Structure formats: C-alpha cells, structure tokens
Amino acid sequence: MSVLWNITLFGLFLLSVSNLSDDNMTKTCAECDCNRIVINCANNGLNRYPNFSLYETVRIINFSHNNLEYIPDAYLLPGQLLILDLSFNKINRSDNYSLSELKTLQQLNLSNNNFHSVLDGRKLPESVIHLDMSVNEINSFGRYPFTNARRLQVLDLHQNLLSYNRTVFQRNVFNNLQSLTDLNIGQNGYDTTKPVYPDEVFKHLKSLRTLVIDGFLTTSFGKVFSEMKNLQVLSINNLMLPNLGIETITENYFENLSQITALDISLNRYVQINTSGSEIHLKSIESGAIAKLTNLRSLDISFNSMLGFCGLRNVTQDLPNTDIKVLKANQIYCPYGFSTILFVDDIKPLKDTNLTELYLDGNRLEMTEDLAPTYLPKTLRVLSLRGNRLRLDKYKVDGILTLTGINSLFLSSQDQTQSREVHSGWFVCNDFTDTIQCLSDRKSNKQSCMLQKQNEGVSSQQRRVSYESDEFGLIAETYSSDYVNYVDSVKHPRTRDIQSYPHLTAADIHPYPPPNCTFDPLISFVNIIPPNTKQIYFESSNLGDIIIPYWMSYDTLEYVSLRGNNFQNFLGPVCNVTNVKILDLSENMCLNIYAHFFIGFINLEELFIQGNLLGDAMKTFQHGELFEKQLKLKILNISSNRITTLPNNFFVHVPNIKTLDISHNLLTDWNVTISHLWKLNVLDLSYNQITFLSDKAMEKVDKITSQNIQIKMMHNPFECSCDSLSFLLWYKKHRKRMVSYSNVTCKNSKRELIYVKDVLLSLQKKCSSKVGIIIGVALFLFLSLGMIFGAIIYRYRIRLRYSFHMFKRQYFGGYEPLHVIQKYTFDAFISYADQDRQFVINRLIELENKKGKRLCIHHRDFIPGNEIAENIINGIHHSRKTICLITREFLKSDWCKYEFNIARMEGIRSRERENIIIVILKEDIPFKELPIRIMEVIVEETYLSFAECLNDDDRFLDLLATAIEN
C-alpha cells in the first residue's frame, strides 16, 4: 500500500511537466487536465470515456465524480497504467474482460458506485495489489470473486450490504487471497440476523495484518484466529443493532487473539444511528477480557459514551498484563451530562505499566482525587485531557511533580461543549442515574478495599490507607507522613493561590519590570508543571482575565499554546521559560500588553499574537522594547489586532525574522524600518486599509535586502488616481516580489474595481503634464549637482577639515605661525597604532630621558574632553616634527592614516612645504605594500629602519634626535 502511495505522490509532483504537444492528443484531452504522467478528468460530467491509448507515458488516470456507468475497455487506456480511479460514478457493471489486459495496473478504485456484487475476479488484472469497492450496494461476492487476485494486498469493502452469514461468506471466498495484508469489511452487517465468523472463510488469510470487522453480541473469534500469527491490528465496529449490538465484552471474547498489538473498539463516527432509540451501546468490559491480549500495545475504547469510568476501571486493571503503550478513552461519557470525578483507583493499575500516551478527552472531568497523578507511570510521555471541565482554581498540583516523563500536556477546550465529537447532534444525555450509580459503586469499592486492608491487620506505620471524607463528599486516601513530607519538599516554596490577586497591575509590583525575571516572593506566582514537560496546550478554555507575573516551576517547555482564551491583559513577565521556541497567545481579545511581558522568552522562534486588540498598545513601544529579548524570532504574527500604525523602530530587535504577518489590520501606510531584516521572506500586509503607499513608505520597502522576499498586499482598497500613480508604477516594477500581482485591483473615481495591470497605461496618459517633466528635469539637475558637490567634498575631506581647524584657530584662538617664531610645545608628535604602544613606552620615550626631547604621545598628552580630530591637529601643529611608526597595524588604522595626512597638510599649508614627517619602518614591509603617500615621503626624504639598528639603541636614538633637530 505504501508503494502505491509513493507512486501517487510521484505522479502529483510531476503535474507541472510540460503539456503534450501532439494535435490529436490535445483534442482527446480537451475535457481533462493532461500531462505526461497524470490525466485528471474528475468533476467533468463525463458519461463516456475518452481515448487515451496514445498517452504511453501516463501512469495515473482519475475519472472520479462523473456520470460513468461502466468500466472502460482496456484499449482506451495507456498500456503502462498503474492507478485507475473510477470512484463516485454510477458504475454497476463490467461488460467485458478487457480490463484484465492491463498487465501493469496496481491500484483500482471503484468506491461510491452502484455495484451489487464484487467485481468478477476474471475481469481483474493479476497485477492489482489494491482494490477499493467500499460504499457500494454489494450484497454478495459473486460467482468468481478474486480469481486473479493472488497478488492483492489491500481489499476495502466497508459500508456495503454483506451479511455475516455462511450464505454470503462461503467457504472458499478468500481462497486466493494468500497475499492479503489489509481487509476492511466493517459497516456491512446491518441486515444480519444470525451473524457468524466462519473459520473456514478466514483460515486462508495467513498474511493478514490488519482486519476491520463488525462486532455482534452472539459472535466470537474462533480458534482459526489464533492461527493467524501475522494479525496485529483489529478494529471492531459495534453497529448497536437491537438484540445484536455489543453491550458487554465478556472475559473470553479475545481469548484467540493474544497476538493482537493494536485493538480499536471505539464507536465509529460513521456508524448509522438508529433513531428509534433502541441502540445497544457498549456499557462494560468484563475484568480479564483485555488481559488476554498479552501483546497489546495500543487500545482505543473512545466514543462509547455509556462506558464511563466504571467501564474504564476494569480495563486499567487488566492493562498490567499487557504490553500497553497507548490508551485512548476519549468521550466515554455522554458530552452533555453532569460533571465526573476521576478516582485514584480508576488509574492506579497504570502505575505498573509502561504506558507512554494517555488520552481522556471529552469526559466531563471536573476534578481528580488528591494525588491521583502520582499513580500515572513514569514512562508517560503524552497526557491529553482536552474537552473536560478542569479549571485553574481546581487544578491539583499535588503529585504533578512526580510525572517526570511527560513531554506533552494537552488541556485545551476546558468547559466547552464538544459538539464536533458528538456522533448524533440531536442526542440528549439522560445518564444522571447511571453517573450517580457509577460514582457510588467506585466509592463503595474504595471503602470495601479499605475495610479489607484494615482486617488484614496491616500496621498503620507501614501502610496507612485510612479514608476520610473531604469537602466534596469524596473518599480521600490519607497517605503516610513521610510521603506527604516528600511532596511538600518538591513544591516550590513560593507557590501561591493564583486567585489571591485577581486584579494585580504593574503598579502593585516594585520595581516593575522585575530585573532578570526576579520577583518579590510576596507578589510572584509559581506555575507547577511536570518536570520534563515540553509542550502544553491550554486552548479555548475561558481562562482569564490577566496573565500575572509567573515563574514556571521547570525550564523545560518548548511549545506553549494559550490560544482562544479570555486574557484581557498580558502583564507578565513569564519567567523560567528560556527554552520555549513557539508561543501562541492568539484569539484572546487582549487589550493591553506590557513592555517586558516577553523578557523571559529569550530563545523564542515563533510568536503568534493575532486575533487580539493590541493596536493601541503597540503604538507605545517607540524603541521596539516589546521584543527586546527576542533576537532569535523567525515568525511573528500580529494580524487582526486593529493596528492603525506602528512605531518606526518597532522591529529593531528582531533581525532574524523570516515571516512577518500584519494582515487584517487598519494600516493606511507603512512607516516602519525593516531594512535590517535581511532574512525576511514573507511580509504580509493584505486586508488592510492602504489606498497607496507614500514615497517614504516605498523607500523603506525598497531597502529590504532579501532577494527572495514575497510581499502580500492583496485586498487593500487601492486607488486608481494621479495621487496613487507613482505607487502603482512602483508596484508594477516590483511585481516579481508581489504575490498575485495579476489579480490585484484598484478603485477608480466611480468606485469601480479595475485590475492594476490594465489601468496603468491610461492613468499615465491622464496624469502626464509639462509641469511634471520640468520638475523631473530640475530634480535630476539638482541631484546631479549634489552628487558632484558631494564627491568633491569627499575627495578633499582631509584638507577641508584641516583648513576648518586652522581657520577657527586663526580667527578665534590667537593663531601664531609657529615655524616663524620657533615656539613649539613639543619636539615631535608620535603617530602609532595602539598595538605598538609598548614600543613607544619602552624605546621612543628614551628621546625624553636621554636626549631631552619633549614628545606628544596621544594616550598621555591629549586634552580630555576635546574631539580626537582636534587633539590630533593641535598636537601636530604644536610639534616640530611628526614621527610615524610604520607597521602593518599602522597601515590598518584609520586614525593613523588621518594623522599622517594631517601632518602632510601641516607641512604644505602652514610651514611653506616644509617636510615635517619622519618615517620609522619598524617592520620589514615590502615597499609595494606601502601606500603611495608614504612611499612619496620615503623616496623624497629620508627614513629610519629600526631593523638596521636593532642591537644598537643609542645609534637609533642619535639618528632620530638628529632628524628632529634638522
């Protein structure tokens, strides 16, 4: 079956292959969608078959949902066909045997037709491995069923009229199905009167792995089923027929099915409901029935709405005798009845299993007995309690910390009517008496158990199991003091009742926000979760109205969803959540969010807060502080928040965003900087109120550097006017970025919708004028002159800056030409890279110590508070010479280059072209690697090579002192 599915996917993947070009083939395929691999003729109203015999490369043909009444002749089909879909037609016959000539056909779908018997096996190709004849009117297997079906692996006959008797299921009906692995004959037995499962029929199915079959009160699985060693999956449909429906599964019902690994006895949602009210529901499973299935790994008893926790208790008692891993007991109560309670003894046996997944959805569960979670096995990874009536104020934390294995916790849809899971919408629960009786029976069992243990004389110090009534009238087990002390020790010391401050605001917290997610213990709250939980779903449960400062008891969460609740204020912060990658707070109708709500979510990658009312609140975050810690955020959805505008720097702290959804808001323009979002792939601005973007907005969007970005602006009320012309032209220019450009419309003055691609030419003619041309030319000249002027300024920026400082000094600072009066403050200004500081301190400083020279060294002699550039110019101007210590680090330093150029300008402009630069080559740098300006100084003047004086410091200092004096 998986092979066929892979083939189907491969065919669909190739739908985009170029169309066939032959004229005859094109005419034949006029009514269908054809390419080289797949022909799709679905929903075309066909009543005859086109001739596709020339399409030799085609492997899949779909004729579903037409008006065809017969199976096609083989000569009309490609010879190498693999899959043929004839479902949802009116076929009731096969007139010839030519279909058997399709030697490669593997999958044949004849479901939802009008067949009254299984297709004659002689007309079936031997190559078929998957045959679907479900949802027909088949009431017999015919004279030659499955004659050519020795390779058949999957046979689906569900929802027909096959009665479970020996007249229909004759001895050799499955004789040729030696390769069959999957058989579905469910939902067939509605007209059965004396049902049987004939051993002689099923004994031939040696390869069968999956069986779907109808269950009856009077039938049983004979010994032949114990010989079907490959059978692993069994699904039993309870048709709820009067006198034949299964009300009780007896202890020996599964005694010949010990090899089963997966059992599904859930009430099928497609079962026909008997409106007379006489349905027979499954109400009990006898103790020991499930224990027979020693290899059982998966059990589903869901939707048996009269089974209840009383029926569940016998199941859980048997499960320690199996290899159970998955237990589904969803909606085993009627969804509209009174609330229910889960006792310890209902799940206590599960502690001795290796259960990994437990589903108890939709059971009207309002509370559990104290410490009930402690009896769930440590191997449990998934716990689902969706669709119950659990509320936060009744949420039991006792024992939660012992669930060390749970990864995923599903608590959504609390206190909600689970109408989508109800099989019969008109069904009204009337199980008050049964609910009370079940509650009473389970309480009685606890009391009997307690009395029995007391009579056995067990020491209260060894096993204290006395019971006392709590405020709900329940029988609560009293545990030893040692155990209670253990539970108390693992609770967080700051756990408090979350109802203590229902109206807590930021004004009540000092300081707010708490730095680094640290709280005053008096106002912080600890949310207890199982120690290793990674996913929590608490959706659509009427939670509200404020998310107060929380500290999660364990930092293990990766996915949190509180979607669809009633939180009106996101106060926060929520802390100890550094591993959360996905957070969903959407559809809460929230009005306010505080700037530091997300400070604990430092590794968040996907954030969904759409469907709230945060438009006004978002205007206040002028510096993007709302997402200040979300540096790893990739997906952000803030759609449907009534946003009219966003601050310019709203997204400044989320540089790794890939998908940004701001659709379904009230934006009229785009004023947000997003040029730094270089990874942005999708920007969704659809369904806003944008008539056209301003020039600034278009400029901001143009600065997006991502090459593969897709911008969605559909369903905005664009205008077709001269005011919007520049925007529409811009929109066309960037059409490769714009999703669905060809379908985007705008409204003209008559409020008529016109496609943007069709209106541009006429709009350009209408809006063009000489004034526009003149303005354009003038603007071009202005920009050109501006660029030329800017280039000149950049070219002579050093000279201009030096001239500015000299001008300021001459007219405002008592300027004197120092080279005339020979009054220098320093003998030499030292220009060096910071990495060479030690050389200056250890070697060049000797010019002061031994030669009496006064040096200007920037880390010592610069005046604090002055600009660096001004300090450099002053230092060089007041120094007789400038010594440049040339190293590779010098050549990399922008400030060193600046000092060198200022020294050149000083010599040229202020000292009548006197050379004031002394070059020291400290490192052996090839001349070809030196800048041209430095080479000019070296060639035209002298320089010192430190390498030549490496071992003679005195000679080096003498030469340098002489150079300064000359």
Side-chain angles (χ1 to χ4, degrees):
M1 185 175 182
S2 61
V3 174
L4 292 176
W5 179 243
N6 289 334
I7 293 172
T8 304
L9 291 177
F10 176 73
L12 294 175
F13 175 76
L14 294 174
L15 273 172
S16 60
V17 178
S18 59
N19 291 340
L20 300 172
S21 59
D22 186 89
D23 291 340
N24 293 330
M25 294 183 180
T26 303
K27 292 178 181 179
T28 304
C29 207
E31 298 176 319
C32 304
D33 182 12
C34 304
N35 61 57
R36 297 185 182 277
I37 302 298
V38 179
I39 295 178
N40 186 6
C41 295
N43 292 294
N44 280 328
L46 299 179
N47 51 29
R48 62 175 182 80
Y49 293 96
N51 188 342
F52 294 125
S53 59
L54 296 179
Y55 290 71
E56 296 179 356
T57 62
V58 169
R59 299 292 181 266
I60 304 171
I61 297 183
N62 183 1
F63 285 120
S64 65
H65 297 274
N66 283 294
N67 299 315
L68 301 169
E69 297 181 355
Y70 58 93
I71 293 178
D73 292 319
Y75 71 83
L76 297 174
L77 304 174
Q80 302 298 316
L81 193 64
L82 296 176
I83 300 175
L84 179 60
D85 190 346
L86 301 172
S87 60
F88 293 93
N89 279 286
K90 301 176 181 179
I91 304 173
N92 56 18
R93 69 185 191 277
S94 176
D95 295 332
N96 54 60
Y97 294 85
S98 66
L99 195 63
S100 62
E101 298 174 7
L102 296 176
K103 302 301 183 183
T104 61
L105 189 65
Q106 295 186 4
Q107 182 172 337
L108 178 59
N109 189 348
L110 296 170
S111 64
N112 292 276
N113 279 289
N114 298 327
F115 285 98
H116 293 280
S117 66
V118 173
L119 185 67
D120 191 329
R122 297 171 299 177
K123 301 177 181 179
L124 191 69
E126 294 183 0
S127 56
V128 170
I129 61 176
H130 187 138
L131 176 61
D132 187 350
M133 297 193 71
S134 60
V135 197
N136 277 279
E137 300 173 3
I138 299 173
N139 53 30
S140 74
F141 287 98
R143 295 184 59 187
Y144 304 100
F146 316 119
T147 301
N148 294 334
R150 296 187 181 277
R151 298 181 184 178
L152 193 64
Q153 297 178 14
V154 180
L155 176 59
D156 191 347
L157 296 172
H158 82 270
Q159 204 167 331
N160 279 291
L161 302 174
L162 295 168
S163 296
Y164 284 83
N165 55 52
R166 285 186 167 83
T167 302
V168 175
F169 286 85
Q170 297 181 12
R171 176 183 297 272
N172 295 320
V173 67
F174 296 146
N175 190 39
N176 290 324
L177 301 181
Q178 300 294 325
S179 301
L180 194 68
T181 60
D182 296 77
L183 174 62
N184 188 342
I185 52 176
Q187 301 175 63
N188 273 279
Y190 292 102
D191 295 329
T192 303
T193 54
K194 297 181 179 179
V196 292
Y197 302 147
D199 284 3
E200 62 273 17
V201 173
F202 291 95
K203 70 179 181 179
H204 300 291
L205 303 176
K206 300 297 184 182
S207 300
L208 197 64
R209 292 198 299 265
T210 301
L211 174 61
V212 181
I213 195 170
D214 292 339
F216 303 95
L217 175 65
T218 58
T219 57
S220 61
F221 296 92
K223 291 185 177 180
V224 69
F225 286 90
S226 64
E227 300 172 3
M228 299 168 65
K229 301 300 182 183
N230 292 310
L231 186 60
Q232 297 180 356
V233 181
L234 176 63
S235 179
I236 302 174
N237 294 329
N238 182 14
L239 303 182
M240 301 190 297
L241 299 174
N243 302 319
L244 290 176
I246 302 176
E247 187 172 24
T248 299
I249 293 180
T250 61
E251 179 182 358
N252 296 321
Y253 191 77
F254 300 115
E255 64 178 350
N256 291 317
L257 294 168
S258 61
Q259 74 275 29
I260 294 296
T261 61
L263 175 63
D264 184 355
I265 52 177
S266 62
L267 181 62
N268 192 299
R269 66 183 63 206
Y270 301 110
V271 166
Q272 300 175 13
I273 301 296
N274 183 353
T275 57
S276 66
S278 58
E279 305 96 341
I280 303 299
H281 291 264
L282 179 63
K283 293 184 177 180
S284 65
I285 300 174
E286 290 185 357
S287 179
I290 302 299
K292 299 289 194 301
L293 305 173
T294 54
N295 292 297
L296 189 66
R297 298 173 63 87
S298 175
L299 174 61
D300 191 348
I301 59 173
S302 302
F303 308 115
N304 291 291
S305 58
M306 293 189 179
L307 188 61
F309 288 147
C310 281
L312 176 65
R313 180 170 290 194
N314 282 345
V315 172
T316 56
Q317 288 175 351
D318 282 355
L319 290 179
N321 298 309
T322 69
D323 191 24
I324 194 67
K325 293 292 187 295
V326 180
L327 173 60
K328 296 182 180 181
N330 300 325
Q331 204 170 304
I332 55 176
Y333 276 96
C334 176
Y336 300 111
F338 294 90
S339 297
T340 60
I341 304 165
L342 187 69
F343 287 108
V344 165
D345 287 344
D346 295 334
I347 59 173
K348 189 173 183 178
L350 296 180
K351 193 175 183 68
D352 298 323
T353 70
N354 292 317
L355 192 69
T356 60
E357 299 180 24
L358 176 60
Y359 301 86
L360 295 173
D361 301 343
N363 283 305
R364 299 163 14 199
L365 182 62
E366 186 164 350
M367 64 186 71
T368 63
E369 191 177 1
D370 289 342
L371 299 175
T374 62
Y375 289 97
L376 292 173
K378 294 184 181 299
T379 56
L380 195 64
R381 296 291 179 268
V382 178
L383 176 60
S384 181
L385 297 170
R386 288 177 292 199
N388 285 289
R389 299 176 183 175
L390 298 170
R391 306 294 296 154
L392 277 180
D393 56 338
K394 299 175 182 177
Y395 182 59
K396 302 288 187 180
V397 299
D398 297 326
I400 288 292
L401 299 178
T402 66
L403 302 178
T404 57
I406 288 185
N407 289 332
S408 301
L409 184 59
F410 298 89
L411 298 170
S412 300
S413 302
Q414 299 301 319
D415 215 11
Q416 302 286 320
T417 300
Q418 301 299 300
S419 58
R420 287 180 297 177
E421 300 293 343
V422 179
H423 304 295
S424 175
W426 49 264
F427 188 77
V428 178
C429 296
N430 188 22
D431 61 350
F432 175 76
T433 303
D434 292 339
T435 301
I436 296 301
Q437 184 63 47
C438 179
L439 177 63
S440 175
D441 291 344
R442 288 187 290 150
K443 287 174 62 177
S444 299
N445 287 341
K446 288 183 69 70
Q447 290 173 326
S448 299
C449 179
M450 176 269 292
L451 293 173
Q452 181 180 356
K453 290 178 180 179
Q454 288 180 344
N455 291 336
E456 290 174 357
V458 179
S459 171
S460 60
Q461 295 295 328
Q462 296 173 343
R463 277 174 46 187
R464 187 179 175 190
V465 288
S466 61
Y467 295 86
E468 52 191 33
S469 197
D470 64 8
E471 65 270 29
F472 299 109
L474 305 180
I475 304 298
E477 186 171 359
T478 305
Y479 296 89
S480 67
S481 59
D482 291 340
Y483 186 82
V484 173
N485 290 335
Y486 162 74
V487 173
D488 289 339
S489 68
V490 296
K491 291 181 183 177
H492 198 287
R494 296 187 296 172
T495 303
R496 304 188 65 200
D497 180 7
I498 65 171
Q499 300 298 319
S500 300
Y501 296 96
H503 302 294
L504 190 69
T505 67
D508 300 313
I509 305 176
H510 303 285
Y512 189 84
N516 300 320
C517 271
T518 56
F519 298 98
D520 180 345
L522 296 178
I523 52 85
S524 62
F525 301 90
V526 177
N527 204 336
I528 301 297
I529 61 172
N532 293 303
T533 303
K534 293 184 178 180
Q535 302 180 56
I536 287 185
Y537 298 80
F538 214 144
E539 302 172 347
S540 303
S541 298
N542 291 323
L543 300 181
D545 59 349
I546 184 171
I547 297 182
I548 57 179
Y550 270 123
W551 182 277
M552 304 306 291
S553 59
Y554 291 96
D555 189 8
T556 58
L557 289 176
E558 295 180 0
Y559 185 109
V560 178
S561 179
L562 296 175
R563 180 187 183 97
N565 286 292
N566 295 321
F567 293 112
Q568 296 182 17
N569 289 278
F570 295 151
L571 172 61
V574 180
C575 298
N576 207 28
V577 286
T578 61
N579 290 304
V580 173
K581 292 181 174 58
I582 302 176
L583 176 63
D584 190 345
L585 298 173
S586 61
E587 311 298 338
N588 271 282
M589 304 301 288
C590 182
L591 294 167
N592 197 14
I593 185 169
Y594 285 77
H596 298 273
F597 180 82
F598 297 114
I599 63 174
F601 297 92
I602 59 175
N603 289 305
L604 197 63
E605 294 182 2
E606 300 180 21
L607 175 60
F608 303 91
I609 50 177
Q610 71 272 21
N612 289 290
L613 300 171
L614 297 173
D616 290 337
M618 289 182 179
K619 295 178 185 177
T620 63
F621 304 121
Q622 296 294 325
H623 305 289
E625 55 269 36
L626 181 61
F627 306 123
E628 185 175 359
K629 301 295 184 179
Q630 281 64 60
L631 299 179
K632 298 181 180 180
L633 196 64
K634 297 178 182 178
I635 298 176
L636 176 60
N637 190 335
I638 55 175
S639 63
S640 301
N641 267 290
R642 302 188 67 82
I643 299 172
T644 57
T645 185
L646 289 171
N648 180 56
N649 294 318
F650 190 72
F651 301 114
V652 68
H653 296 297
V654 286
N656 293 301
I657 282 284
K658 293 183 178 180
T659 300
L660 185 57
D661 190 346
I662 320 178
S663 62
H664 294 86
N665 280 295
L666 303 174
L667 293 174
T668 57
D669 202 2
W670 181 253
N671 62 332
V672 189
T673 298
I674 53 176
S675 57
H676 63 291
L677 305 181
W678 60 280
K679 294 183 179 179
L680 190 64
N681 291 329
V682 177
L683 174 62
D684 193 345
L685 297 175
S686 58
Y687 292 96
N688 275 278
Q689 297 300 314
I690 300 173
T691 54
F692 60 88
L693 292 181
S694 64
D695 293 339
K696 290 184 177 180
M698 290 185 284
E699 182 181 352
K700 287 181 179 294
V701 177
D702 282 338
K703 289 181 179 179
I704 300 175
T705 57
S706 176
Q707 299 297 319
N708 300 318
I709 188 172
Q710 290 185 319
I711 302 176
K712 300 179 179 180
M713 296 187 68
M714 304 85 71
H715 303 286
N716 277 286
F718 293 159
E719 285 185 2
C720 306
S721 66
C722 292
D723 292 336
S724 65
L725 179 59
S726 60
F727 164 68
L728 297 177
L729 291 172
W730 173 87
Y731 197 86
K732 178 183 179 181
K733 177 182 176 182
H734 297 283
R735 59 185 178 276
K736 291 184 179 180
R737 286 184 168 190
M738 303 298 173
V739 177
S740 299
Y741 167 76
S742 59
N743 295 322
V744 173
T745 60
C746 60
K747 289 183 179 181
N748 60 16
S749 57
K750 298 179 180 179
R751 314 309 293 170
E752 297 171 336
L753 286 177
I754 309 173
Y755 287 110
V756 170
K757 60 183 177 62
D758 298 332
V759 76
L760 278 176
L761 186 59
S762 60
L763 199 59
Q764 282 180 286
K765 292 180 180 179
K766 176 183 176 181
C767 301
S768 62
S769 67
K770 292 183 179 180
V771 175
I773 296 174
I774 294 172
I775 293 175
V777 172
L779 184 61
F780 174 78
L781 292 174
F782 178 80
L783 291 176
S784 299
L785 292 174
M787 292 177 64
I788 294 171
F789 185 72
I792 293 173
I793 291 175
Y794 181 81
R795 174 67 178 82
Y796 296 103
R797 64 191 184 282
I798 301 294
R799 182 176 300 178
L800 291 172
R801 178 177 290 183
Y802 178 83
S803 299
F804 170 76
H805 281 281
M806 290 300 101
F807 175 84
K808 185 172 68 171
R809 182 178 300 279
Q810 182 173 357
Y811 291 98
F812 301 100
Y815 172 81
E816 290 182 295
L818 297 177
H819 69 287
V820 176
I821 61 177
Q822 298 292 320
K823 293 182 180 180
Y824 292 105
T825 305
F826 304 97
D827 292 295
F829 177 89
I830 310 298
S831 176
Y832 62 95
D834 196 57
Q835 291 84 348
D836 301 318
R837 177 183 294 190
Q838 292 301 319
F839 181 85
V840 175
I841 294 173
N842 297 332
R843 297 293 183 92
L844 295 186
I845 202 69
E846 294 298 318
L847 286 170
E848 291 184 341
N849 300 332
K850 294 181 178 182
K851 301 298 180 180
K853 303 299 180 183
R854 175 66 172 156
L855 304 180
C856 180
I857 302 173
H858 70 73
H859 69 267
R860 183 188 68 183
D861 298 315
F862 277 10
I863 300 173
N866 285 1
E867 293 181 359
I868 295 176
E870 185 174 353
N871 271 321
I872 291 172
I873 293 173
N874 288 338
I876 291 175
H877 183 67
H878 287 88
S879 298
R880 182 184 303 276
K881 298 286 185 180
T882 297
I883 298 174
C884 295
L885 186 61
I886 305 300
T887 64
R888 285 183 169 81
E889 296 300 327
F890 183 97
L891 299 178
K892 295 177 183 178
S893 172
D894 292 331
W895 283 117
C896 289
K897 295 175 184 176
Y898 180 78
E899 291 168 348
F900 178 83
N901 286 317
I902 291 297
R904 287 182 66 250
M905 293 301 302
E906 173 73 15
I908 295 172
R909 300 293 298 276
S910 298
R911 306 193 192 181
E912 299 177 348
R913 294 189 174 275
E914 177 186 349
N915 176 41
I916 67 170
I917 299 175
I918 300 172
V919 173
I920 299 176
L921 295 179
K922 181 177 178 291
E923 297 177 356
D924 186 15
I925 302 175
F927 285 164
K928 64 181 181 180
E929 296 182 12
L930 294 175
I932 187 66
R933 298 299 184 188
I934 296 178
M935 281 302 301
E936 288 177 357
V937 174
I938 292 174
V939 171
E940 296 175 3
E941 306 295 338
T942 58
Y943 69 95
L944 294 179
S945 175
F946 179 73
E948 296 177 359
C949 303
L950 185 61
N951 298 319
D952 193 348
D953 286 348
D954 292 337
R955 179 170 175 267
F956 174 75
L957 293 175
D958 290 338
L959 292 173
L960 192 54
T962 301
I964 294 173
E965 293 168 357
N966 292 335

